[in-house]
Amino acid sequence: MKAENLRRTRTNVRANVRNVPGPCAHWNDEDADFIREVLDLVGDKWSVLIIGTLADKPVRYSDLADAIPGISQRMLTLTLKHLQRTGLVTRTSYPEVPPRVEYALTELGTSLLSTVLALAAWSADNHAEIRRHQTEYDRAGTVRRTV
Amino acid sequence: MKAENLRRTRTNVRANVRNVPGPCAHWNDEDADFIREVLDLVGDKWSVLIIGTLADKPVRYSDLADAIPGISQRMLTLTLKHLQRTGLVTRTSYPEVPPRVEYALTELGTSLLSTVLALAAWSADNHAEIRRHQTEYDRAGTVRRTV
DNA sequence: CAGCATCCCTTCCGATACTG
DNA sequence: CAGTATCGGAAGGGATGCTG
């Protein structure tokens, strides 16, 4: 189990501490793991784009590649497998020549889509304000660039 | 602008194509950029944990470090700066000895929290089913491990 | 058409040491 | 206490070539 490198350092102190303050009022440590699992899935570079593309109909592999700007073959395949494993999409291959494979959202995938749409709406709503903050923050950092 | 390596390859073909199919019924390419920006922010390893910890009261630097299991000093500082730049948290330092610095959610940060809570709820609700799919998927892959 | 395997460069991030 | 600076391993992800 390679527990040998649990040497206590200044970082990551809390692992060895009893009686810690709860991390957050909205979830416990275990919940935090779950949400991070979902965020790792959803926060990756392509998953959300794929889910969005599959939103209302099954799409075949090459059509996905065409529909999603900039995705590489490798990442398309990898992400689809990942989504499949999580139970968000299904893969159906039709024994024809030439071969045809269609990917579709499962019910689970659809339910996640609607949740993600809330985030998309937030993004659209607050995009301008975020930009404002960013440029202001960056401008403040440029003061006295003495070099 | 180093446009020289725009040699058209089999990957990433769409960049050179006119008349492409829209990527998704729920957002256009530009929206996709915004949502990915937010996902990059929120999908990173620590942002959500920090936001959750700041949910109902300002918290000082060292208390954040204690409250969030496993975070390194480097990542705490980095993520806080990132969240600041985006306008989700504020930093207030009190000129005392010893120094005290408190981080707090802005209104923007609070609004994002409530959106993220929806995702947290989804995670909790569907965690068990996701696990089911994962183990089933993995079991299927273990068939005929001939080596 | 629908992938898989390989190479390789970039980014992320934890550990560690040092400062106002 | 609240950071900054630097290093090195691990992971992410694009390009390319090959297969059923």
Side-chain angles (χ1 to χ4, degrees):
Chain A
M1 279 291 189
K2 47 182 325 190
E4 45 199 342
N5 52 2
L6 278 183
R7 267 186 51 244
R8 179 182 164 143
T9 63
R10 188 157 82 98
T11 48
N12 201 352
V13 177
R14 184 167 174 271
N16 309 50
V17 168
R18 318 284 164 238
N19 201 334
V20 290
C24 160
H26 291 282
W27 51 70
N28 58 40
D29 284 18
E30 201 180 11
D31 289 343
D33 285 347
F34 301 162
I35 185 179
R36 260 248 299 265
E37 228 177 290
V38 173
L39 279 172
D40 281 352
L41 178 71
V42 147
D44 94 11
K45 205 173 176 186
W46 303 109
S47 293
V48 171
L49 278 315
I50 293 181
I51 291 175
T53 309
L54 297 178
D56 29 44
K57 58 182 186 317
V59 180
R60 22 192 322 187
Y61 184 87
S62 57
D63 288 342
L64 275 171
D66 291 346
I68 299 175
I71 195 168
S72 67
Q73 216 171 29
R74 170 190 156 83
M75 286 291 65
L76 180 55
T77 302
L78 239 59
T79 309
L80 281 171
K81 274 188 179 166
H82 198 183
L83 293 173
Q84 239 187 293
R85 184 176 117 97
T86 320
L88 299 176
V89 313
T90 58
R91 190 197 111 116
T92 317
S93 87
Y94 300 88
E96 307 170 353
V97 281
R100 177 167 58 105
V101 177
E102 282 188 350
Y103 292 88
L105 276 192
T106 63
E107 200 172 329
L108 193 63
T110 307
S111 74
L112 179 57
L113 173 65
S114 45
T115 306
V116 166
L117 285 179
L119 211 77
W122 189 92
S123 308
D125 289 350
N126 301 99
H127 172 247
E129 187 171 353
I130 289 177
R131 281 279 183 279
R132 254 200 340 96
H133 281 287
Q134 285 175 343
T135 57
E136 186 179 346
Y137 183 100
D138 294 344
R139 213 176 45 76
T142 319
V143 178
R144 267 190 350 109
R145 177 181 303 257
T146 335
V147 177
Chain B
M1 279 290 188
K2 48 182 326 191
E4 45 199 341
N5 52 2
L6 279 184
R7 266 187 53 243
R8 179 182 162 140
T9 63
R10 187 158 81 95
T11 48
N12 202 351
V13 176
R14 186 166 173 271
N16 310 50
V17 168
R18 319 282 165 242
N19 201 334
V20 290
C24 160
H26 291 282
W27 51 70
N28 58 39
D29 284 18
E30 201 180 10
D31 289 344
D33 286 347
F34 302 164
I35 184 179
R36 260 248 300 266
E37 228 178 290
V38 173
L39 278 171
D40 281 353
L41 178 71
V42 147
D44 96 9
K45 206 173 176 184
W46 303 108
S47 294
V48 172
L49 276 318
I50 291 180
I51 292 174
T53 308
L54 296 178
D56 28 46
K57 59 183 185 315
V59 180
R60 28 197 310 191
Y61 184 87
S62 57
D63 288 343
L64 275 172
D66 292 346
I68 299 174
I71 196 169
S72 67
Q73 215 170 29
R74 170 191 157 83
M75 284 327 285
L76 180 55
T77 302
L78 238 60
T79 310
L80 281 171
K81 274 187 181 166
H82 199 182
L83 293 173
Q84 239 187 293
R85 184 176 117 95
T86 320
L88 299 177
V89 313
T90 57
R91 191 198 110 116
T92 316
S93 86
Y94 299 88
E96 308 169 353
V97 282
R100 175 166 60 105
V101 176
E102 281 189 349
Y103 292 89
L105 275 192
T106 62
E107 201 172 328
L108 193 64
T110 307
S111 74
L112 180 57
L113 173 64
S114 45
T115 306
V116 166
L117 285 179
L119 211 78
W122 188 93
S123 307
D125 288 350
N126 300 98
H127 173 247
E129 187 171 354
I130 290 178
R131 279 280 183 279
R132 252 198 342 96
H133 281 287
Q134 286 175 342
T135 57
E136 186 178 346
Y137 183 98
D138 293 344
R139 214 175 45 77
T142 319
V143 178
R144 269 190 349 109
R145 177 182 300 260
T146 336
V147 176

